[in-house]
Amino acid sequence: DPFLANSYYKNFEWNSNVTILTQDNPCLVIDELDVCIYGIGFSSFYSEGTLLNTLNIENRKSFNILLAHGTVDISVGEAVYNPMDSRQLELLGMDYIALGHFHNPYDRLSSKGIYNPGSPEPLGFDETGEHGVYKGILTMEDNGQKNLDVHFISTAKRFYENIEVNIGGCSTDSEVCEIISAALRNKDKERGIFSITLTGYVNKDFRVNCRLIQSMLSNEYFYIKIKDATLPDYDFDTLKYEQGLKGNFIRKVLTKIEETNNEKEKALLWKALYYGLEALDKGKIENII
């Protein structure tokens, strides 16, 4: 959160054991531990330019730790959130750099003493995998050589997982439930938060009832949601020879699919083919894919 004029960081009367690191006060010195903790404070909601050039290490013989919030070696759209270069970070000479911003753990710069622990608990289906904290120990040898030992500790009580389940050939919701249960048999049902995407080709007269399936499975899992991405099982090899509007439509779209090498365009054409056939058969589109 930024250090604004109306910010609680500026106006609240904090206890003596709380230090707010700002651009004017970028360092906290803990003499009894011989530690200097640096922070890059935001004066606005985000910075498009790097704030690293505001830092200078006061005592290189001390343990120097940097807390920084931003994007490292990544460009995300036009507005980059406090961009930082790992080479610049390394040249600062910090003994440990604790990053924030992204919620998934990131230790690919560990050889440079740079870590992003992410959030101790995942917050959504875009934050899959293990979540936790990094525990780091800094020590100094008699000759002044500093050593850093870091390891990851899992703390998450829950985890998110996205799973695709092929239900091709199913003709009832009960059969779908059985296949989902089989796919999740070895999963941790108490901790898992599952998003199940149903795929495959199903009978064109069978409409998957996601709400019913969720209710049938809800007592077995802490949380589960179902999304239908199945496709009607049309026999295109037979249908394309039909006379009339349907056959002509199928032949034209299949020809376009064969002619294009653009995968995105090909996917859109397949969607158009299924939407068109469903509209021709039922007069409306019910299966959004």
Side-chain angles (χ1 to χ4, degrees), residues 207 227-231 271 275 278 285-289:
R207 177 78 185 278
K227 294 186 292 185
D228 181 15
T230 58
L231 296 171
K271 282 188 177 184
Y275 285 154
E278 190 168 6
I285 298 172
E286 294 178 337
N287 293 300
I288 302 300
I289 57 177

Side-chain angles (χ1 to χ4, degrees), residues 161-218:
E161 187 168 355
N162 299 292
I163 301 173
E164 286 191 3
V165 177
N166 190 315
I167 62 166
C170 288
S171 56
T172 68
D173 292 320
S174 295
E175 290 176 348
V176 175
C177 286
E178 291 177 7
I179 292 179
I180 293 173
S181 296
L184 299 181
R185 183 170 293 126
N186 297 321
K187 303 292 184 180
D188 189 336
K189 299 179 181 180
E190 297 298 322
R191 293 181 60 230
I193 300 175
F194 301 106
S195 175
I196 308 299
T197 300
L198 304 177
T199 63
Y201 296 91
V202 298
N203 188 298
K204 62 185 180 67
D205 296 321
F206 171 49
R207 177 78 185 278
V208 176
N209 190 330
C210 292
R211 287 188 177 181
L212 176 60
I213 293 170
Q214 282 183 198
S215 67
M216 293 170 70
L217 295 172
S218 60

Side-chain angles (χ1 to χ4, degrees), residues 51 56 80 82 85 132 146 149 171 182 186 209 215 247 266 287:
L51 300 172
N56 289 299
V80 179
N82 188 19
D85 188 304
K146 299 174 187 175
D149 178 36
S171 56
N186 297 321
N209 190 330
S215 67
K266 188 172 292 188
N287 293 300

